[in-house]
Amino acid sequence: MTVDCYLRDTARKSPEKIALVHEAMRICYADLLSGSISLASHLCDLGVTGGDRVLILTGNSPETVYSIFASSICKSVFVPINPGTKDEKLYSIIRSAKPKAIIGSSEVLKRVEGSRTDATLIGAFNDPFEGWEYELASMISRRSRFSGTGPIDVDIASIMYTSGSTGEPKGVTLTHSNINSASTSTNEYLKNSENDTILDVMPLSFDYGLYQLLMSVRYGGTLVLEPCFVHVDRIFRQIENERVTGLPIVPAIAESMLRMNHFERSDLSSLRYITSTGQAIAPETVHRLIDKFPGVDIYSMYGLTECKRVAYLDPAKLRRKPSSVGRAIPNTEVFLLDNEGRIIEEHGCVGELAVRGSNVMLGYWNDEESTRAVIREGQYCADRILLSGDLFRFDEEGDLYFVGRRDDVVKIGGQKASPVEVERVIGSMEGIDSCVVLTIPHGILGNVFVSIAVKNGDLRDIDVRKYCSRRLECHQMPKKVVFVDELPLTDNGKVDRKGIVREMKLYQQMVEIFRAGGMPDGLHSSPLSGAFRELGLLEGDLWTHPPDKPAVESANAPITNSSP
């Protein structure tokens, strides 16, 4: 089954059913199909053929929905990109994808022109005409017929760009079969049907947001599409007004909802389930969600863009196992590998999670080296095994627990530790909205952890460290905690750990220049510069010791080996 067939089949069965709600617009399945077919016809007229890439930069909007299905109908590849993507990254994606057509607002298309692409530029809805030769609304409204052939399930359906370890975007290449496998398995455990209405506040350029659309259309439900990470007031209002049954969120949204006093005055009786993924959700937050949403199934899940969904926890186990992400989704196999690539059979042991199934991506677009690093050939033809790069353990019942990223694990005083575990503990503390834990070189221990956090109360560094001391081993303890008003987020609403680490490393490189008597312009221009100064990152002697000095910390060091 292919993505375009989701829409064709549902439109045939329920043509007048509302498929999409966006602000004042309500689009039925028949109109969504006819508009998508018309757009597909015009894309073909512009020379877009099978396998060509169509870059979609229209955010959470009907334009994106039409463009996704039109691309599938004409056998091309849809590439949804967040319109807020910075120019450098956007240009890198354009160079990689080499799109035949790019759809976006006038503002976005003006930026796109800076990439010197030869793609056809198509302007979006409700956008002042700025000289673009082609305009999306007229292409959809002409109701043109499409006479070409559609895709088959082994064809490439989509490329989803995600940042690699270096920050350079990598194109996750997904076939129609990959998407079909992932959506079938996810629908199976969520038990979605044509009676469901899903509220989507996740970006359609993020696989979590995209699959809400694809699954909703596949089972004939209704999707209420909102701007990315809309204010929680709006979420409560839309649940009540649209009788929403399914709510996909990330931990940051969960925390924001729990701080509101809307539960008593909002009618949330229609809600059937909540899903959460993207990053670990704090156990205390899990318990509060269960208490605030009685009778609602809450699914803690784990996934990767490279294969969409991997595991989910049975909601009946959630209160007992708030830190677990459960077991493999239907039609998927997972196992843990040790450093030699051997399968780990014993529960409690940590290993890299490997994923086997038809949901595993084809590879990274035009990047054989990166593909070979994470994909292993299985026993059978077209059998692929994905190495996740994430470390897990499983308990005696076979349920999985995330430990951290393989490349994040460091040694502190000779013992292995993951900053993600520490983030989970700090994030579970009442009064902490979000945090990031960083690894700093240390003259005695080799490395230590420090944290930058966002608080909503009168917490102090010592309060957080005392809280951690009751929950963490000595070597895992953060040696200092500083507070900021906000932390930078990725396009998907997660704390931008990679970006913060890159910025921190830049500051550490500047230490040598500072010692030599120079201070580069703009060194303190970062929103996190105050936090870095508090952590002592500009005073290299506080963290590292030259070989000719004794391994004793400075009296002014912002960290110590003593317990808080």
Side-chain angles (χ1 to χ4, degrees), residues 27-165:
I27 303 171
C28 69
Y29 275 101
D31 288 343
L32 181 57
L33 176 60
S34 63
S36 298
I37 290 174
S38 180
L39 178 55
S41 175
H42 285 287
L43 289 174
C44 285
D45 291 343
L46 293 173
V48 176
T49 59
D52 285 339
R53 278 71 62 203
V54 177
L55 234 64
I56 305 169
L57 287 149
T58 42
N60 280 20
S61 66
E63 292 101 312
T64 298
V65 176
Y66 279 114
S67 299
I68 285 170
F69 287 107
S71 299
S72 180
I73 289 168
C74 70
K75 209 175 178 180
S76 62
V77 179
F78 60 87
V79 187
I81 304 294
N82 190 316
T85 301
K86 302 300 182 185
D87 286 355
E88 183 180 357
K89 183 177 179 180
L90 177 59
Y91 295 167
S92 176
I93 290 171
I94 291 173
R95 287 193 299 270
S96 168
K98 294 181 173 59
K100 191 78 171 185
I102 301 177
I103 301 170
S105 67
S106 292
E107 180 183 353
V108 171
L109 293 184
K110 286 176 182 177
R111 292 170 50 215
V112 164
E113 286 185 319
S115 70
R116 299 182 180 178
T117 177
D118 58 0
T120 299
L121 306 183
I122 302 172
F125 289 174
N126 303 320
D127 205 29
F129 183 74
E130 294 284 354
W132 310 117
E133 186 176 353
Y134 305 102
E135 198 271 323
L136 196 67
S138 61
M139 292 181 173
I140 291 171
S141 62
R142 289 176 192 169
R143 296 295 187 261
S144 303
R145 293 179 177 274
F146 176 74
S147 57
T149 59
I152 60 175
D153 63 359
V154 295
D155 287 331
I156 297 174
S158 178
I159 300 175
M160 303 290 291
Y161 276 89
T162 181
S163 294
S165 57

Side-chain angles (χ1 to χ4, degrees), residues 57-355:
L57 287 149
T58 42
N60 280 20
S61 66
E63 292 101 312
T64 298
V65 176
Y66 279 114
S67 299
I68 285 170
F69 287 107
S71 299
S72 180
I73 289 168
C74 70
K75 209 175 178 180
S76 62
V77 179
F78 60 87
V79 187
I81 304 294
N82 190 316
T85 301
K86 302 300 182 185
D87 286 355
E88 183 180 357
K89 183 177 179 180
L90 177 59
Y91 295 167
S92 176
I93 290 171
I94 291 173
R95 287 193 299 270
S96 168
K98 294 181 173 59
K100 191 78 171 185
I102 301 177
I103 301 170
S105 67
S106 292
E107 180 183 353
V108 171
L109 293 184
K110 286 176 182 177
R111 292 170 50 215
V112 164
E113 286 185 319
S115 70
R116 299 182 180 178
T117 177
D118 58 0
T120 299
L121 306 183
I122 302 172
F125 289 174
N126 303 320
D127 205 29
F129 183 74
E130 294 284 354
W132 310 117
E133 186 176 353
Y134 305 102
E135 198 271 323
L136 196 67
S138 61
M139 292 181 173
I140 291 171
S141 62
R142 289 176 192 169
R143 296 295 187 261
S144 303
R145 293 179 177 274
F146 176 74
S147 57
T149 59
I152 60 175
D153 63 359
V154 295
D155 287 331
I156 297 174
S158 178
I159 300 175
M160 303 290 291
Y161 276 89
T162 181
S163 294
S165 57
T166 62
E168 189 72 15
K170 294 189 291 188
V172 174
T173 306
L174 302 170
T175 65
H176 290 270
S177 181
N178 293 148
I179 292 174
N180 194 53
S181 175
S183 61
T184 297
S185 297
T186 307
N187 267 345
E188 183 174 334
Y189 68 80
L190 290 179
K191 303 178 181 64
N192 285 316
S193 74
E194 67 276 5
N195 298 319
D196 280 299
T197 297
I198 309 303
L199 177 59
D200 194 358
V201 299
M202 298 291 108
L204 291 176
S205 54
F206 177 28
D207 65 291
Y208 190 27
L210 173 65
Y211 273 81
Q212 307 310 320
L213 166 66
L214 299 180
M215 291 188 298
S216 177
V217 171
R218 181 173 183 182
Y219 59 72
T222 297
L223 186 77
V224 181
L225 187 62
E226 291 290 317
C228 304
F229 306 109
V230 69
H231 195 277
V232 290
D233 279 336
R234 176 79 174 175
I235 292 176
F236 280 103
R237 207 159 49 242
Q238 288 295 71
I239 292 173
E240 182 171 351
N241 293 343
E242 299 294 342
R243 307 305 296 157
V244 167
T245 60
L247 178 63
I249 59 173
V250 291
I253 293 178
E255 291 287 355
S256 296
M257 292 181 72
L258 290 170
R259 286 202 301 270
M260 305 297 286
N261 59 357
H262 289 23
F263 290 94
E264 289 72 25
R265 65 180 193 228
S266 299
D267 180 5
L268 308 177
S269 60
S270 63
L271 201 58
R272 185 169 67 81
Y273 70 80
I274 294 172
T275 62
S276 178
T277 190
Q279 62 189 111
I281 189 167
E284 283 78 0
T285 301
V286 168
H287 293 307
R288 290 160 61 204
L289 279 174
I290 294 172
D291 293 339
K292 289 292 187 180
F293 291 95
V296 176
D297 287 334
I298 300 174
Y299 292 85
S300 178
M301 309 186 300
Y302 165 79
L304 299 157
T305 306
E306 288 82 350
C307 62
K308 176 48 187 164
R309 187 64 54 234
V310 176
Y312 78 99
L313 182 70
D314 182 342
K317 296 182 178 180
L318 188 60
R319 191 178 287 278
R320 182 165 57 93
K321 297 183 176 185
S323 298
S324 175
V325 293
R327 302 184 183 188
I329 64 173
N331 196 38
T332 299
E333 180 183 6
V334 300
F335 42 91
L336 302 185
L337 300 174
D338 64 17
N339 290 332
E340 281 71 47
R342 297 171 300 204
I343 295 179
I344 296 173
E345 304 285 358
E346 185 178 353
H347 69 79
C349 294
V350 175
E352 181 178 8
L353 185 75
V355 185

